[in-house]
Amino acid sequence: MSSSTHRNELGDFLKARRKELGPAEVGLAEGGGRRRVTGLRREEVALLASISTDYYTRIEQGRRQASAPVLDTIARVLRLGEDERAYMLELAGKDTSRPRRQAPQKVQPQLRQLLDNLTNVPAMVLGRRMDVLAWNPLAAALLGDFDHIPDKQRNYVRMVFLNPSVRALYRDWTEVAQTGVAQLRMEAARDPKDPRLTALVGELSMRDEDFRRWWGAHRVATRGMGTKVLRHPVAGDLTLDWNTLTCVTDPDQQLVTYTAEPGTPSYDALRILASWTASAAGADRAGPAAR
């Protein structure tokens, strides 16, 4: 992705955000007559940001680089959240602290050891582009057999959109998928020249209309925490809390865990699934003679 394309992304993002705000929401009068545009006009954003309309227009059109303070002011005017502000700064080239690395990722040994010891908690390690780098047996039992997915296709967002069994797993699929797209958008801002990310976005855009529409909405999010509702073929209905832990030695690797509130049906079902997974693994290690 060229620098000009990145500037176009910034313009598209700013236009998408200002279209979502009406004048009354930011303290401006609606004015008489019918508005020709949805949301705020460029001149209204410029007025609120105390810059000229020409200056803001040039920023939105990619013909002028804005300073970090000006971008911060625009972020406040457009009511951007922290994730959206960080995304905007990435697109504008104002946050260069994150290294751009293209070498293939390998799971950190400490994370691998931690995964191996999490026997009752489904967990996986996500890397750049939301690639699944490693997982424990319970995560495979919960989300699907990652071993049967080719390395280049072992991507969480790709699985959510294109793997029928994973897609059917989430009762709140739309929310899960939209969050995945928003997180992938953030990845694109951090490393716009990543050819594998470009190929992934191209494939998903061609094969799924929802992805194409949501990608065009320019929503962004970082990996954090939340709740997912699953309909598992073995464990039944599950409501699980997910959380993200960032690896200190490689911030591009994050451990994602799934837990349930003790005493709930989901907690009991997850323990049953863990027991079933351990029994199946033991039988596999014992070989045919044990069956």
Side-chain angles (χ1 to χ4, degrees), residues 25-48:
E25 295 179 79
V26 294
L28 295 177
E30 291 282 355
R34 186 174 181 179
R35 295 175 66 87
R36 292 178 295 176
V37 297
T38 302
L40 295 178
R41 302 185 180 99
R42 285 173 175 164
E43 55 265 31
E44 291 170 332
V45 176
L47 174 65
L48 293 167

Side-chain angles (χ1 to χ4, degrees), residues 254-270:
Q254 295 176 317
L255 178 73
V256 181
T257 60
Y258 296 85
T259 59
E261 185 71 23
T264 63
S266 294
Y267 180 82
D268 295 335
L270 199 58

Side-chain angles (χ1 to χ4, degrees), residues 68-141:
V70 169
L71 291 172
D72 276 332
T73 302
I74 292 173
R76 288 194 295 271
V77 169
L78 297 179
R79 309 287 180 85
L80 301 186
E82 285 301 315
D83 290 348
E84 292 173 320
R85 175 186 171 278
Y87 176 71
M88 179 185 67
L89 291 174
E90 290 272 8
L91 291 179
K94 301 302 179 183
D95 187 0
T96 58
S97 60
R98 191 182 183 89
R100 306 302 200 244
R101 295 174 295 173
Q102 292 297 326
Q105 277 185 299
K106 294 185 181 298
V107 64
Q108 290 287 310
Q110 297 89 342
L111 289 182
R112 178 73 268 177
Q113 186 177 13
L114 181 58
L115 278 176
D116 292 340
N117 284 278
L118 289 174
T119 56
N120 292 317
V121 175
M124 61 182 175
V125 177
L126 295 181
R128 297 190 299 270
R129 300 175 295 271
M130 309 283 287
D131 289 342
V132 181
L133 302 181
W135 56 93
N136 63 6
L138 191 50

